[in-house]
Amino acid sequence: MATSLGAKPAVVSDTTLPHAIEGEMTPAVRLIGRIITAGLLLAVAAGLWQGFSSHGLLNGLVNGLKASEVGFAMVLILLGSIVEGFGYGLSLGTKWPYTRNIVVLMVRGDPEAAHRVVATLVGLVALALVILAPTVTTISGLILIVVTALFGMGTLYVLAGRAPAFVHGTHGLLAYGVFLVYLTGLAYPGPNFWTYLGAMGALHALLLAVFLGGMTTGQRGFGTAIGAFVQPRKASQWTIAAHITAGLILVATLGYMMPAYPIAFYLAVGQFAVGFLLFHAVSLKPKDPGIMVAFHQSMVLLMALAIVLVWR
């Protein structure tokens, strides 16, 4: 590591890729780390419960792994938002996927180190599922994870100013694809994921908003405020305007489908208030806007759950 834990973030060079830019290790980061650990343990517990409640050894093992994978994927997405919110996006520099002391850094509380370790766990579970139950859904899940990981490497270069924001947006979109493929595979084992996704207009609107949300983060880069505006004048402002438009499309889509998705609709409406608070937080502290990033992402996960779990 180039600096010690708790050091102030360094300035990104205009000419070279940074080795490491660390966020500040605050009590809030440590507390969130404990909550994330609890989330991982809950995912394991959910897998055990699902496995023991299923009929047959193989079926129980597969269902248990799917249940844990859903939990792991949710934790992974939340870790990504914590990495952004607390300024750890380049805490390991542009080295990918591991550093020699990545486990030590994870134990000390570095969210980016934890993000990469949990991503590895998600990949190993996906591989096990393909071996145990090679279906369109499980194979699709593994492929999505591999592609997501490759785009994850690209996000480091987006933050360092050496790759387009499209890479960051695609990474977020694929991460939700991983989450949804295992969630739908567990909840609805009949249709494969692509058949299900093609029939779900509500998810199309949600995923568009997710993609443009990732684009917004990527377009502003590391530690840069978007700036208040009435009429967009620079790329980051046009991107957030597109993201807001996608949010309105999501609200309109869910409203049109009422009363099919009431919880998702009210969450989408409330998300506008959360988004405003997040924009304010980014304006005040562009390098580490804080917990609002994770809260904003949590609302999206809840919307996805509300859409998927009410469909029959």
Side-chain angles (χ1 to χ4, degrees):
M1 298 290 291
T3 56
S4 60
L5 286 169
K8 295 293 184 181
V11 177
V12 179
S13 169
D14 291 330
T15 58
T16 60
L17 292 176
H19 171 62
I21 299 174
E22 296 182 2
E24 186 177 356
M25 185 57 62
T26 64
V29 174
R30 293 188 180 94
L31 176 61
I32 291 169
R34 295 187 181 97
I35 294 172
I36 289 295
T37 300
L40 290 172
L41 293 175
L42 283 173
V44 172
L48 291 172
W49 179 81
Q50 183 69 38
F52 284 119
S53 61
S54 300
H55 297 291
L57 179 61
L58 180 60
N59 188 51
L61 183 58
V62 169
N63 286 338
L65 287 173
K66 283 182 180 179
S68 290
E69 188 77 321
V70 171
F72 295 153
M74 291 179 69
V75 167
L76 188 59
I77 290 171
L78 288 175
L79 273 171
S81 66
I82 291 163
V83 166
E84 177 193 345
F86 290 91
Y88 279 84
L90 291 171
S91 69
L92 305 182
T94 51
K95 292 183 178 180
W96 184 88
Y98 309 114
T99 63
R100 289 180 301 173
N101 56 345
I102 191 169
V103 176
V104 174
L105 292 172
M106 179 186 70
V107 172
R108 289 180 180 176
D110 187 315
E112 174 64 6
H115 185 64
R116 298 191 194 186
V117 171
V118 173
T120 302
L121 176 62
V122 169
L124 291 174
V125 173
L127 179 60
L129 282 168
V130 169
I131 293 171
L132 293 170
T135 64
V136 171
T137 296
T138 58
I139 293 171
S140 296
L142 182 59
I143 293 172
L144 281 171
I145 288 168
V146 172
V147 180
T148 303
L150 293 174
F151 273 89
M153 175 182 64
T155 62
L156 302 175
Y157 290 87
V158 174
L159 295 177
R162 295 294 184 271
F166 170 82
V167 174
H168 204 291
T170 303
H171 177 66
L173 179 64
L174 291 169
Y176 269 86
V178 171
F179 163 61
L180 289 170
V181 75
Y182 293 107
L183 177 63
T184 57
L186 182 66
Y188 312 109
N192 69 59
F193 172 67
W194 303 108
T195 301
Y196 172 86
L197 183 62
M200 293 296 291
L203 281 180
H204 300 168
L206 179 66
L207 291 174
L208 174 62
V210 166
F211 171 71
L212 288 170
M215 282 279 292
T216 299
T217 300
Q219 192 66 62
R220 75 180 184 88
F222 182 82
T224 305
I226 296 170
F229 65 94
V230 175
Q231 179 180 344
R233 298 193 180 279
K234 57 182 181 179
S236 60
Q237 293 175 350
W238 280 108
T239 305
I240 197 170
H243 181 47
I244 292 170
T245 302
L248 291 172
I249 291 172
L250 174 61
V251 171
T253 300
L254 293 171
Y256 177 77
M257 293 180 171
M258 285 286 278
Y261 306 109
I263 297 175
F265 173 75
Y266 293 122
L267 285 170
V269 172
Q271 184 75 306
F272 274 91
V274 177
F276 174 80
L277 293 174
L278 176 56
F279 182 84
H280 184 62
V282 170
S283 298
L284 289 176
K285 299 179 67 179
K287 288 185 179 179
D288 53 342
I291 194 63
M292 287 307 302
V293 181
F295 191 63
H296 189 65
Q297 199 68 257
S298 298
M299 294 279 282
V300 181
L301 283 169
L302 289 174
M303 274 186 271
L305 286 169
I307 291 171
V308 171
L309 297 182
V310 300
W311 182 75
R312 289 292 184 271

